[in-house]
Amino acid sequence: MELFNNLIFGLSVAVSLQNLVYCFIGVFVGTLIGVLPGIGPLATIAMLMPLTFSVGPVAALIMLAGIYYGAQYGGSTTAILVNLPGETSAVVTCIDGYQMARQGRAGPALAIAAIGSFFAGTVGTLLIALAGPPLAEVALKFGAPEYFALMLMGLVAAAVLAQGDMAKSLAMVAMGLLLGIVGTDVNSGVPRFSFGINELIDGIGFVVIAVGVFAVGEIIANLGDPAERQVFTSQAINLFPTREDLKASFGPILRGTGIGAFFGVLPGTGPAIASLSSYLVEKKLAADPSRFGRGAIEGVAGPESANNADAQCKFIPMLTLGLPASGVMALMLGALTIHGIQPGPEVMNQRPELFWGLIASMWIGNLMLVVLNLPLVGLWVKMLKVPYRLLFPAIMAFSAIGIYSVNNSAFELYLTAVFGVIGFVWMKLGCSPAPMLLGFVLGPMMEENLRRALLMSRGDPSVFLSRPISLTFLIATVAILTVMAAPAVRRRRGDIAG
Amino acid sequence: MRPAFLDSKDFWAGVMFAATGGAAVFMARAYPFGTTLRMGPGYFPIVLGALLVLFGLWFMAKGLRSQKRIEGVWSLRALIVLPLSLVLFGVLVERAGFVPALAVLIFGSAAAGNEFRFGEVAVATAVLTALCVALFIWGLGLPYPLLAGF
């Protein structure tokens, strides 16, 4: 059985000492920043990415991925214990998780969240392994027009499905595409938007933009509106769920995993949407919906499984098509590129150790997270006592060292400072920066494919319509735009976001 | 009285998009546009810039009517001090070495917050700097001199 062999091969890569260590560092850091509000996976991955350049791409990706899904676990811990979502994906978990904690059932809530997440992570891993090869097979047949249409669809879908103002997200995609142009044009050798600055001839560094906007910009914004942090007491926690808890959680975990996997492969939908949908489904299916909001364990089991499945399945389009479905995936794609790997369907054939090793490591990482989270829950809660005024200078220090270590260039530090200010302004104006990052990463590839497609067709733009796969993507793009712009949907979207 | 649109999120977002797009188009005029068959280096930027200008105008129009005001407090102190400490790190790391640059950065960014306490920040700076030296210079072997130019 090929799937089985591939997974065994992946496991053999993932259990090498170096990869295990990086996986552990990843999930450890991930849990930590998941617990801490005010710093998310995006900023952390951006800031630590330069430190992974010296190790191989496999260990680097394993660690960065660990930060990402580790944060989902950490976020739920604070949601349950202190009613404070460490990450947006855990907002829903607060509702019933915190009520359970108030009733002295924090232990079972934490345990069910971990079990649900682990189950969802396992299924997610299997789904990537199952869906990856056939998807890559199809994608190998894509020519330039198909790629251009696919990227257009991905970008539009990511922008309109993301939370926040849809039109602004679309404009931010265009902004990102424009930023991606800075530097020497590969075809003509003309330096574009380089303002005569030598350092800009190679383009704006990916890490510079990501750290500037998501770490520095975010800190400037946080210092403007300091969020109140609650004081709390932690008591000894009995972790074991009762047999009834397990029975009640079985269905929600299965359904949550399914819902999360579905939203996971859609571009733009963050884990918050998956967990909210799961919560609403469980509430609708419950015999007594009034229990929800008062400590129903289903309200923890479902959403926690959903956000983890979502996080895992976001890797499918990134690994097989080279299409990032979220800001974090754009960072992963950037990391691949920096390691000299051209993202896309070829990755699976040319770097099987990367693809299968990463997948297997995610499963191992999920296992580590269960072990890391349940017995050590007290430690994580203590971390919350680190005040933000001590946390953010540390983030600044790590960011600065990370950026400087990429090219030993002080100019990139100045540029990061500029992007910090720009990122802050974007956030204040309600322009979500994540779609910008997607545009920035895909920009150069999109231009190249557009150019090639038109060269192929001798300048006839109808090439995008005459090829069935590309036509399908374009129709889907228009359909997504029309549906999401329809007044009824917009109103409902507003309700969910608000 | 101050017109309402001057507080509008949408209006200023529109200004930002239109200005960026306008500047892009203006600069990209210097690059050969090419034809649809052979796209020049100016083709993609001009199309994108024009698109951003359109988005910008639309948001400005929307902002004239919208009620969405810019929320929250602006911390002018953070907005200036935080980027400045990053710039200082860049200047110092090449001239004075890793340790002074890092100490200035950490102390400087802590000063950007409004809960600044001198004693605490001094201790935190020392501890964090030592930690970073241990981790990055000795641990990961980054090739920067701890002190330079003295």
Side-chain angles (χ1 to χ4, degrees):
Chain A
M1 208 178 136
E2 213 188 332
L3 172 73
F4 190 68
N5 286 338
N6 284 332
L7 283 176
I8 294 286
F9 169 64
L11 274 174
S12 73
V13 174
V15 296
S16 81
L17 184 65
Q18 187 198 30
N19 289 341
L20 274 182
V21 168
Y22 275 86
C23 183
F24 180 78
I25 298 176
V27 295
F28 187 86
V29 172
T31 311
L32 181 66
I33 57 121
V35 168
L36 296 171
I39 173 159
L42 251 171
T44 314
I45 294 174
M47 163 173 109
L48 296 182
M49 188 188 292
L51 301 177
T52 64
F53 290 171
S54 56
V55 299
V58 182
L61 244 75
I62 283 179
M63 181 180 128
L64 298 176
I67 297 177
Y68 172 55
Y69 56 78
Q72 316 290 337
Y73 275 77
S76 59
T77 305
T78 39
I80 292 169
L81 289 179
V82 279
N83 199 19
L84 194 73
E87 301 305 325
T88 45
S89 57
V91 172
V92 185
T93 312
C94 285
I95 308 174
D96 279 283
Y98 184 60
Q99 290 304 322
M100 283 183 71
R102 286 186 60 178
Q103 294 157 17
R105 305 206 324 119
L110 286 168
I112 286 296
I115 295 169
S117 298
F118 179 68
F119 178 79
T122 310
V123 172
T125 305
L126 275 175
L127 274 177
I128 304 176
L130 272 173
L135 260 176
E137 194 77 19
V138 174
L140 278 174
K141 299 197 179 79
F142 287 4
E146 282 80 17
Y147 265 114
F148 178 79
L150 173 69
M151 288 178 196
L152 189 70
M153 179 182 83
L155 285 178
V156 168
V160 302
L161 294 176
Q163 276 152 315
D165 190 323
M166 172 176 141
K168 275 184 189 161
S169 297
L170 281 172
M172 286 304 277
V173 168
M175 178 72 86
L177 290 170
L178 208 52
L179 285 171
I181 287 176
V182 175
T184 308
D185 174 37
V186 278
N187 288 29
S188 60
V190 176
R192 294 185 287 185
F193 303 123
S194 62
F195 298 91
I197 300 169
N198 272 339
E199 282 90 343
L200 281 180
I201 286 181
D202 290 334
I204 303 173
F206 176 74
V207 182
V208 168
I209 289 213
V211 170
V213 173
F214 294 98
V216 183
E218 184 93 36
I219 292 175
I220 301 178
N222 285 342
L223 290 179
D225 328 77
E228 286 297 312
R229 291 230 210 149
Q230 290 145 293
V231 190
F232 53 89
T233 49
S234 54
Q235 61 268 82
I237 295 162
N238 173 25
L239 283 172
F240 289 99
T242 61
R243 180 175 289 231
E244 284 75 50
D245 289 339
L246 286 173
K247 228 170 109 188
S249 307
F250 184 70
I253 288 178
L254 281 183
R255 284 187 291 271
T257 304
I259 292 168
F262 171 74
F263 282 107
V265 288
L266 289 184
T269 57
I273 296 181
S275 52
L276 181 67
S277 311
S278 160
Y279 188 81
L280 295 177
V281 165
E282 291 314 321
K283 197 169 170 179
K284 201 149 244 172
L285 288 177
D288 176 15
S290 69
R291 278 173 45 248
F292 280 77
R294 295 186 195 155
I297 198 158
E298 297 94 322
V300 175
E304 277 305 312
S305 314
N307 68 32
N308 215 40
D310 175 279
Q312 219 80 333
C313 290
K314 279 276 179 285
F315 278 93
I316 296 179
M318 197 278 284
L319 283 172
T320 56
L321 307 174
L323 191 73
S326 69
V328 172
M329 286 305 131
L331 283 175
M332 299 277 174
L333 209 66
L336 278 181
T337 325
I338 291 173
H339 280 285
I341 294 170
Q342 179 67 37
E346 290 288 348
V347 171
M348 203 177 302
N349 296 327
Q350 288 174 359
R351 308 294 301 249
E353 83 288 359
L354 177 75
F355 184 84
W356 297 106
L358 179 61
I359 290 176
S361 90
M362 293 205 253
W363 188 76
I364 296 177
N366 272 292
L367 197 62
M368 285 183 187
L369 280 165
V370 174
V371 179
L372 206 57
N373 270 271
L374 293 182
L376 294 182
V377 79
L379 174 81
W380 299 119
V381 172
K382 280 210 186 71
M383 289 307 304
L384 264 176
K385 290 186 177 149
V386 176
Y388 192 65
R389 64 170 192 277
L390 294 180
L391 187 63
F392 78 83
I395 301 174
M396 290 295 291
F398 276 57
S399 302
I401 299 170
I403 299 243
Y404 189 67
S405 70
V406 181
N407 290 324
N408 296 339
S409 147
F411 175 78
E412 300 210 315
L413 287 164
Y414 311 150
L415 206 57
T416 310
V418 172
F419 272 104
V421 175
I422 294 177
F424 168 73
V425 172
W426 282 340
M427 282 174 224
K428 276 288 163 195
L429 294 177
C431 302
S432 145
M436 178 279 304
L437 199 61
L438 298 186
F440 178 73
V441 171
L442 288 183
M445 284 188 259
M446 233 178 136
E447 184 183 15
E448 187 53 34
N449 279 301
L450 176 63
R451 234 179 224 175
R452 251 190 268 160
L454 289 174
L455 206 58
M456 228 170 71
S457 71
R458 299 173 189 284
D460 180 5
S462 72
V463 65
F464 294 107
L465 303 176
S466 59
R467 302 182 46 136
I469 300 178
S470 129
L471 179 67
T472 314
F473 288 144
L474 290 181
I475 291 176
T477 312
V478 175
I480 295 168
L481 268 177
T482 334
V483 170
M484 294 309 287
V489 180
R490 274 173 82 165
R491 228 173 295 128
R492 283 201 56 188
R493 231 172 131 255
D495 292 346
I496 292 175
Chain B
M1 210 188 96
R2 189 180 158 84
F5 69 83
L6 285 181
D7 290 324
S8 158
K9 237 184 200 173
D10 288 340
F11 179 78
W12 286 109
V15 172
M16 186 266 299
F17 286 128
T20 316
V25 171
F26 182 78
M27 289 180 64
R29 284 180 324 155
Y31 316 138
F33 189 76
T35 59
T36 318
L37 171 58
R38 280 193 188 279
M39 281 166 52
Y43 192 101
F44 209 53
I46 286 185
V47 171
L48 279 175
L51 191 68
L52 265 188
V53 171
L54 289 181
F55 267 119
L57 293 176
W58 190 71
F59 281 119
M60 277 157 79
K62 199 177 158 200
L64 291 179
R65 299 177 274 117
S66 100
Q67 310 293 320
K68 272 190 229 147
R69 303 185 52 183
I70 299 174
E71 295 148 12
V73 197
W74 292 61
S75 169
L76 198 61
R77 181 169 166 182
L79 196 56
I80 295 170
V81 177
L82 215 56
L84 192 70
S85 53
L86 208 54
V87 170
L88 276 178
F89 177 84
V91 173
L92 286 173
V93 74
E94 288 178 349
R95 290 171 182 78
F98 188 74
V99 170
L102 198 61
V104 167
L105 170 73
I106 296 171
F107 197 87
S109 12
N114 36 17
E115 298 174 278
F116 183 72
R117 297 175 203 169
F118 187 86
E120 183 190 74
V121 171
V123 173
T125 304
V127 172
L128 255 176
T129 308
L131 211 75
C132 286
V133 169
L135 185 64
F136 294 105
I137 306 288
W138 297 332
L140 290 167
L142 295 184
Y144 309 128
L146 294 181
L147 282 170
F150 289 105

